[in-house]
Amino acid sequence: MLDAKIPSGPLDNKWTDYKGHCKLVNPANKRKLEVIVVGTGLAGASAAASLGELGYKVKAFCFQDSPRRAHSIAAQGGINAAKNYQNDGDSVFRLFYDTIKGGDYRAREANVHRLAEVSGNIIDQCVAQGVPFAREYGGLLSNRSFGGTQVQRTFYAAGQTGQQLLIGAYQALERQVALGNVTMYTRHEMLEVVKIDGKARGIIARDLVKGNLERHFGHAVLLCTGGYGNVFYLSTNAMGSNVTAAWKAHKQGATFANPCFTQIHPTCIPVSGDHQSKLTLMSESLRNDGRIWVPKVKGDNRKAVDIPEEERDYYLERRYPAFGNLVPRDVASRAAKERCDAGHGVGTSKQAVYLDYADAIVRYGKIEAGKEGRSNVPMEEIIAMGKQVVKEKYGNLFDMYEKITGENPYEVPMRIYPAVHYTMGGLWVDYELQTTVPGLYALGEANFSDHGANRLGASALMQGLADGYFVIPYTLGNSLADEIYSKAVETSHPAFETAEKAVSDRINLLMNIKGKQTVESFHKRLGKIIWDKCGMARTKEGLEQAIKEVQALKKEFWSDVRIPGSINEMNPELDKANRVADFIELGELMCVDALNRNESCGGHFREEYQTPEGEALRDDANYMYVAAWEYKAEHEWNLHKEPLIYDVVKPSQRSYK
């Protein structure tokens, strides 16, 4: 069932050969072909803009009131590219290798190498769009370090890289809207994929303002709808981020790959109470200069500034001397959890560790003094100069932390703790980014293809823009070349009628439950089950319990949820109920997938499978495959396996020591 369509030949020639031999659509024929793009974050906006520029008739949909509100804006720290500006040994191969290794050897080689190849083009494209990347004194683009690498390859725009990249893609998209090549549908949510003769030929969307359902035809449908981290309820994702579009595709035949591979980000502001509905990320770039530590003595309640240096445990530097504070996210997260579980946590909850900038401030201050040729500078002045440098590099992040916590991170260490951030799992796609449903594609975080079991920091923006700007224009054309004789299908076609009726029936069913419990309460309960039993650590017993608990929660949801308002109006509670119903089903599949994978790898940590040092213990003999789940019936899936064959990289036990 799974044909990855990986081109033959040497790894570093596959993409070049593919582009040289794929089918093309001439400009006159492109104008006859319609493409639907669902989601307008970095992947969706770049894809819609690129396809519009090529001449296709594009319809773009987003549930926000503007593409500029896509969750891509929340990305802070940067975007990776193998340009070797620092002359520190970086290369396309090294970016490829770091990504494969960082994903714990559970990603597809061909896709990852292509990503590394086009990474440099992304930076050139964005600079041409006017994205204000940070620059060195001489005007060259600046780079900083991120986890899982020993080179500086991360390009950044202060602590708001995602926002600036999205504005660039948004400008390109709006240009195509003005030219009439792209039609924009804001405040619309896709609720079903329409298939005709086995191919995706359109969608059913709900106008979130008026409440009515709409039918839209497309020769191809591109899902660029992000990840499913909000299944955990508390995450760094925007409150509206959801799995609905991908889940509807899954139930129409698109296999869902590696759903248990979710990423826990080590650098988040800790949970402060049951009242919270969202967590705030502090950029991984802060680990570039900050040092992470806990008190050596258990239960030490002294203020951080009162704990002397010799009584601090810089545990990442101690355990992983080669990478120190820049180990990959999964490694850093588990290490923080281990220290807190062992009684060394800080703060009122004791579920936090310190991220300290005191040393960096002094180091930068001395550099500034050296630039001025000064010696014997008072420490107060050195600290003042150092704070100014840190402010220029990370100021907006420090301001955000102070606004949320009331503490000044220039004076006292930040408190951080791991939280759900990104999902490596997603719809299974082949080399062309096409799902197992012909004509249906998935780009960016909505697919599984590039990160394996753990994503390296600053690679999400890289993948989203690579897929939209540089991959899909070729791979989609290769497919649409066979569609130039296919006339647009009228939306009165029986397939559209049937799909719309299914959506309408489900909405009516939800509204007629008229139970007593809120949608939010169900989402919160689901999140606790998944976090406790399929979060940072999993066990066979816990996962078996979670599956039963989620199944019971689903039954309760469909019998006792209460949704106020009516259907044919703006009704955010109804929108949320639709999404939570899908999250519940996804939550069950995540636990099924985690239970099936009897190994630890990347973000999937089964406590039964670990090394004596507490690191993830893979089982390459039995689990070196992509787990692609096919939906069969309620609580029932078929597992399809795509073997992962490594021709260039030799899988080994990951070591960052």
Side-chain angles (χ1 to χ4, degrees):
M1 180 182 181
L2 301 178
D3 179 7
K5 298 180 185 174
I6 299 171
S8 58
L11 183 64
D12 52 0
N13 288 339
K14 289 183 188 295
W15 181 232
T16 300
D17 287 349
Y18 178 92
K19 290 189 293 181
H21 295 89
C22 65
K23 299 173 187 175
L24 300 176
V25 182
N26 82 44
N29 285 331
K30 287 190 179 100
R31 292 192 288 271
K32 303 173 186 175
L33 296 170
E34 300 181 39
V35 180
I36 288 174
V37 178
V38 183
T40 52
L42 285 179
S46 59
S50 299
L51 297 174
E53 184 78 41
L54 288 171
Y56 293 104
K57 293 170 64 177
V58 180
K59 293 180 181 178
F61 295 80
C62 70
F63 65 72
Q64 300 95 344
D65 57 2
S66 165
R68 285 186 59 178
R69 291 189 181 273
H71 185 58
S72 299
I73 67 162
Q76 298 168 343
I79 176 172
N80 287 332
K83 279 187 168 291
N84 195 30
Y85 279 3
Q86 304 298 324
N87 197 29
D88 56 1
D90 201 10
S91 65
V92 166
F93 179 83
R94 198 173 292 277
L95 173 53
F96 156 73
Y97 175 78
D98 287 345
T99 305
I100 290 284
K101 178 183 176 183
D104 218 351
Y105 306 97
R106 290 295 179 264
R108 188 191 288 153
E109 267 194 344
N111 288 62
V112 177
H113 197 277
R114 175 176 65 189
L115 176 64
E117 285 180 67
V118 305
S119 64
N121 297 341
I122 298 170
I123 304 304
D124 297 339
Q125 170 92 358
C126 295
V127 168
Q129 289 174 339
V131 172
F133 285 121
R135 294 179 181 267
E136 304 289 0
Y137 178 77
L140 297 177
L141 296 183
S142 181
N143 295 109
R144 55 191 179 199
S145 299
F146 256 64
T149 72
Q150 291 179 305
V151 298
Q152 289 182 279
R153 66 163 65 101
T154 304
F155 296 78
Y156 63 97
Q160 50 182 256
T161 313
Q163 180 175 348
Q164 298 302 330
L165 291 172
L166 185 62
I167 290 172
Y170 172 72
Q171 290 174 155
L173 173 60
E174 286 301 305
R175 177 172 178 270
Q176 295 306 314
V177 171
L179 292 172
N181 297 327
V182 176
T183 303
M184 191 72 225
Y185 294 86
T186 58
R187 304 295 286 146
H188 280 67
E189 183 167 24
M190 183 200 114
L191 294 180
E192 189 59 284
V193 175
V194 179
K195 291 199 304 183
I196 300 175
D197 298 328
K199 289 186 176 182
R201 289 301 195 200
I203 65 170
I204 303 298
R206 183 169 184 264
D207 183 325
L208 298 181
V209 176
K210 298 176 182 176
N212 57 290
L213 299 178
E214 298 178 2
R215 307 172 186 180
H216 295 275
F217 166 81
H219 289 90
V221 177
L222 279 53
L223 300 184
C224 312
T225 50
Y228 50 87
N230 274 352
V231 68
F232 290 90
Y233 186 70
L234 283 178
S235 80
T236 65
N237 288 198
M239 294 295 292
S241 297
N242 64 84
V243 77
T244 287
W247 197 250
K248 300 309 183 191
H250 173 55
K251 296 184 83 169
Q252 285 291 341
T255 55
F256 208 104
N258 301 335
C260 78
F261 286 172
T262 55
Q263 180 171 79
I264 313 298
H265 196 295
T267 320
C268 299
I269 297 178
V271 177
S272 61
D274 291 338
H275 62 282
Q276 274 185 271
S277 56
K278 188 188 182 308
L279 297 176
T280 302
L281 172 71
M282 299 308 297
S283 170
E284 181 171 312
S285 63
L286 293 173
R287 289 201 278 144
N288 194 48
D289 283 313
R291 300 180 73 193
I292 295 172
W293 63 276
V294 292
K296 288 183 178 178
V297 178
K298 292 183 180 181
D300 193 330
N301 291 319
R302 288 177 292 175
K303 294 180 180 178
V305 293
D306 294 332
I307 300 176
E309 188 74 13
E310 62 272 14
E311 295 181 32
R312 301 179 179 189
D313 178 15
Y314 295 92
Y315 58 89
L316 290 178
E317 298 171 31
R318 169 173 55 82
R319 289 179 60 178
Y320 309 103
F323 282 72
N325 295 296
L326 287 172
V327 291
R329 290 174 176 178
D330 60 321
V331 177
S333 293
R334 281 198 300 277
K337 181 179 186 296
E338 185 276 328
R339 287 291 78 195
C340 291
D341 290 350
H344 296 270
V346 301
T348 54
S349 68
K350 299 300 181 185
Q351 293 295 301
V353 299
Y354 288 127
L355 175 62
D356 198 335
Y357 258 73
D359 286 355
I361 287 171
V362 172
R363 184 176 75 252
Y364 281 125
K366 289 181 178 178
I367 291 172
E368 291 302 299
K371 288 179 181 178
E372 298 174 6
R374 299 168 60 194
S375 58
N376 300 320
V377 180
M379 183 56 66
E380 294 79 8
E381 192 173 347
I382 285 175
I383 290 174
M385 289 189 290
K387 285 179 180 178
Q388 189 58 39
V389 174
V390 169
K391 185 174 183 179
E392 290 173 4
K393 291 169 73 78
Y394 309 106
N396 62 318
L397 298 171
F398 277 54
D399 292 344
M400 184 168 66
Y401 182 87
E402 184 170 9
K403 286 179 181 177
I404 292 171
T405 66
E407 298 176 354
N408 183 348
Y410 293 101
E411 305 293 339
V412 298
M414 298 182 191
R415 285 174 290 109
I416 58 169
Y417 193 72
V420 173
H421 179 55
Y422 187 90
T423 52
M424 285 75 67
L427 293 176
W428 183 91
V429 293
D430 59 22
Y431 189 74
E432 297 184 326
L433 305 184
Q434 188 166 210
T435 70
T436 47
V437 174
L440 181 66
Y441 295 76
L443 284 65
E445 193 178 356
N447 75 35
F448 88 98
S449 66
D450 290 21
H451 306 296
N454 173 64
R455 177 175 69 79
L456 293 184
S459 287
L461 307 185
M462 177 174 62
Q463 186 206 349
L465 292 179
D467 286 355
Y469 283 136
F470 299 110
V471 177
I472 201 66
Y474 287 95
T475 63
L476 183 64
N478 191 52
S479 174
L480 291 183
D482 297 328
E483 298 286 344
I484 59 175
Y485 299 109
S486 299
K487 296 273 197 297
V489 176
E490 294 295 328
T491 54
S492 57
H493 188 283
F496 281 92
E497 298 264 3
T498 302
E500 183 179 327
K501 185 178 185 303
V503 173
S504 180
D505 288 349
R506 174 181 160 107
I507 289 173
N508 281 298
L509 184 60
L510 279 167
M511 291 299 297
N512 289 328
I513 295 171
K514 301 189 185 304
K516 296 179 181 177
Q517 300 183 61
T518 64
V519 176
E520 191 81 354
S521 67
F522 281 104
H523 193 182
K524 206 168 190 177
R525 287 165 60 191
L526 172 68
K528 181 165 176 52
I529 295 169
I530 304 300
W531 174 251
D532 288 347
K533 298 182 172 71
C534 195
M536 289 179 69
R538 298 107 185 251
T539 64
K540 180 177 185 291
E541 180 184 10
L543 291 166
E544 289 172 342
Q545 291 174 355
I547 291 169
K548 292 177 182 176
E549 290 174 18
V550 173
Q551 289 176 349
L553 186 71
K554 179 180 178 180
K555 187 175 180 181
E556 189 179 347
F557 175 89
W558 283 97
S559 63
D560 198 31
V561 72
R562 180 180 182 276
I563 305 170
S566 61
I567 295 173
N568 294 313
E569 65 176 4
M570 186 173 179
N571 190 343
E573 281 299 297
L574 174 58
D575 306 334
K576 192 191 303 181
N578 254 315
R579 297 166 189 166
V580 171
D582 294 330
F583 274 138
I584 291 173
E585 294 181 4
L586 167 68
E588 181 180 352
L589 180 58
M590 288 173 63
C591 296
V592 168
D593 185 41
L595 184 61
N596 171 76
R597 191 170 282 277
N598 294 316
E599 65 165 352
S600 291
C601 56
H604 169 63
F605 191 75
R606 284 280 297 271
E607 292 184 354
E608 306 96 323
Y609 307 101
Q610 55 181 299
T611 67
E613 295 82 26
E615 305 295 345
L617 182 63
R618 297 195 322 270
D619 180 356
D620 291 344
N622 295 304
Y623 293 96
M624 191 172 281
Y625 62 77
V626 177
W629 298 90
E630 177 192 9
Y631 180 80
K632 297 299 291 181
E634 186 176 23
H635 311 309
E636 187 181 340
W637 288 269
N638 281 351
L639 174 61
H640 300 272
K641 301 177 182 179
E642 179 201 338
L644 290 170
I645 300 168
Y646 291 99
D647 294 325
V648 175
V649 175
K650 182 180 178 182
S652 60
Q653 177 67 35
R654 273 197 311 170
S655 174
Y656 293 94
K657 296 183 177 181

